[in-house]
């Protein structure tokens, strides 16, 4: 079980105030990581960090809008100052497209979501990678979606951003493998989160073969595996915890 231990590692989880990000931050802390809980909602970030600390683990909160490079730089430096290193980055922060048809997606809306769901992960990775390269160790997980694999009939800009994350993951993995940095993506299936509830869970449930809907903890467990040494030989891959929704 030592391969699954994250003792001594320092992690940043974006969008960690709720849902998958919150579950991931808690799971990584349970496995021994020191976690920076990053969220645009500072109060939610503080609440999750407090929850982790009350369980006897280490965490700090960082209010961060991932669309702003200055906020990203602040969070990365804050992590390095607090924990002495940056080992793990989970690019989870994202937003939905609101169920827009192609004709409804204007250029400003397109730019907004591409920045939030794709460019932010590039910026965060680029700021964290120098720390990982210097220590010759690192783990990055980009949270993509089934929409990035099979498309989305309602939100073309959301699907495009999530597909872009997969392309970025594979390209980045090729460039940083020599530094012992693993870069993988999670092709998230339908999961019971605030975003999924806003889109309507019931109509999507029939697509799942498994006899229940996904939970944030299902995704968190996959993230924990990918950032552990048990996955040391896995890079540039897309892992899809989706209950058999697609294969």
């Amino acid at each position: 079980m030592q391969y699954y231990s994250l003792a001594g590692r320092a992690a940043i989880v974006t969008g960690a105030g709720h849902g998958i990000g919150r579950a991931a931050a808690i799971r990584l802390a349970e496995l021994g990581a020191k976690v920076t809980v990053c969220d645009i909602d500072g109060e939610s970030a503080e609440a999750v960090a407090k929850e982790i600390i009350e369980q006897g683990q280490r965490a700090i909160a960082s209010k961060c809008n991932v669309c702003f490079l200055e906020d990203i730089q602040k969070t990365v430096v804050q992590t390095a100052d607090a924990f002495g290193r940056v080992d793990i980055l989970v690019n989870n922060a994202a937003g939905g497209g609101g169920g827009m048809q192609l004709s409804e997606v204007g250029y400003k809306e397109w730019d907004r979501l591409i920045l939030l769901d794709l460019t932010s992960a590039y910026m965060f990775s680029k700021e964290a990678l120098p720390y990982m390269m210097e220590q010759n160790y690192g783990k990055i997980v980009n949270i993509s979606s089934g929409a990035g694999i099979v498309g989305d009939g309602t939100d073309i800009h959301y699907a495009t951003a999530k597909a872009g994350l997969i392309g970025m993951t594979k390209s980045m993995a090729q460039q940083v493998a020599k530094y012992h940095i693993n870069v993988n993506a999670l092709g998230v299936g339908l999961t019971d989160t605030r975003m999924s509830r806003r889109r309507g869970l019931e109509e999507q449930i029939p697509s799942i073969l498994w006899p229940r809907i996904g939970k944030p903890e299902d995704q968190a467990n996959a993230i924990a595996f990918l950032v552990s040494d048990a996955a040391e030989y896995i890079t540039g891959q897309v892992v899809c915890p989706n209950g058999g929704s697609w294969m």
Side-chain angles (χ1 to χ4, degrees):
M1 295 302 293
Q2 63 181 336
Y3 293 110
Y4 297 93
S5 171
L6 300 179
R9 303 301 183 192
I12 301 171
V13 182
T14 71
H18 303 275
I20 293 171
R22 173 184 173 275
I26 291 172
R27 181 68 78 246
L28 299 190
E30 289 173 341
L31 291 171
K34 297 164 284 190
V35 181
T36 297
V37 180
C38 168
D39 201 280
I40 192 172
D41 180 350
E43 291 185 359
S44 295
E46 291 282 358
V48 175
K50 181 180 178 182
E51 186 176 353
I52 291 171
I53 292 168
E54 288 176 346
Q55 294 299 317
Q57 292 101 30
R58 292 185 63 185
I60 60 173
S62 179
K63 182 178 181 180
C64 175
N65 185 334
V66 297
C67 294
F68 297 145
L69 179 58
E70 295 81 3
D71 279 16
I72 291 171
Q73 291 171 330
K74 178 201 70 176
T75 297
V76 173
V77 170
Q78 183 181 5
T79 302
D81 287 346
F83 303 138
R85 50 192 298 126
V86 179
D87 299 294
I88 296 165
L89 172 63
V90 181
N91 284 311
N92 169 72
M100 293 184 180
Q101 294 296 313
L102 175 61
S103 60
E104 300 173 299
V105 180
Y107 297 126
K108 288 185 177 180
E109 169 62 14
W110 176 276
D111 288 343
R112 178 194 72 82
L113 203 63
I114 296 297
L115 172 59
L116 174 58
D117 287 4
L118 175 57
T119 307
S120 67
Y122 168 74
M123 293 192 294
F124 233 120
S125 298
K126 193 167 183 180
E127 293 302 315
L129 275 169
Y131 294 88
M132 298 178 178
M133 292 165 69
E134 183 178 357
Q135 64 202 24
N136 205 41
Y137 179 93
K139 309 280 187 178
I140 297 175
V141 178
N142 297 312
I143 308 304
S144 183
S145 164
I149 298 172
V150 301
D152 189 322
T154 57
D155 280 330
I156 185 172
H157 49 337
Y158 177 77
T160 299
K162 292 301 187 179
L165 279 176
I166 293 173
M168 187 185 80
T169 295
K170 293 178 179 292
S171 299
M172 192 175 290
Q174 293 175 30
Q175 295 187 33
V176 300
K178 62 185 177 182
Y179 299 103
H180 295 93
I181 299 170
N182 304 75
V183 187
N184 291 291
L186 215 63
V188 173
L190 181 61
T191 305
D192 190 358
T193 64
R194 294 186 305 171
M195 187 185 300
S196 295
R197 287 183 176 275
R198 282 196 289 267
R199 295 195 65 178
L201 286 175
E202 295 301 323
E203 61 189 42
Q204 301 177 72
I205 288 176
S207 68
I208 303 175
L209 298 181
W210 208 250
R212 66 170 175 83
I213 191 171
K215 301 179 293 185
E217 290 75 16
D218 295 316
Q219 310 301 331
N221 290 336
I223 293 167
F225 167 68
L226 288 173
V227 303
S228 74
D229 287 340
E232 189 263 344
Y233 202 57
I234 298 174
T235 196
Q237 304 303 310
V238 184
V239 176
C240 299
N242 64 14
S245 296
W246 66 89
M247 299 184 183

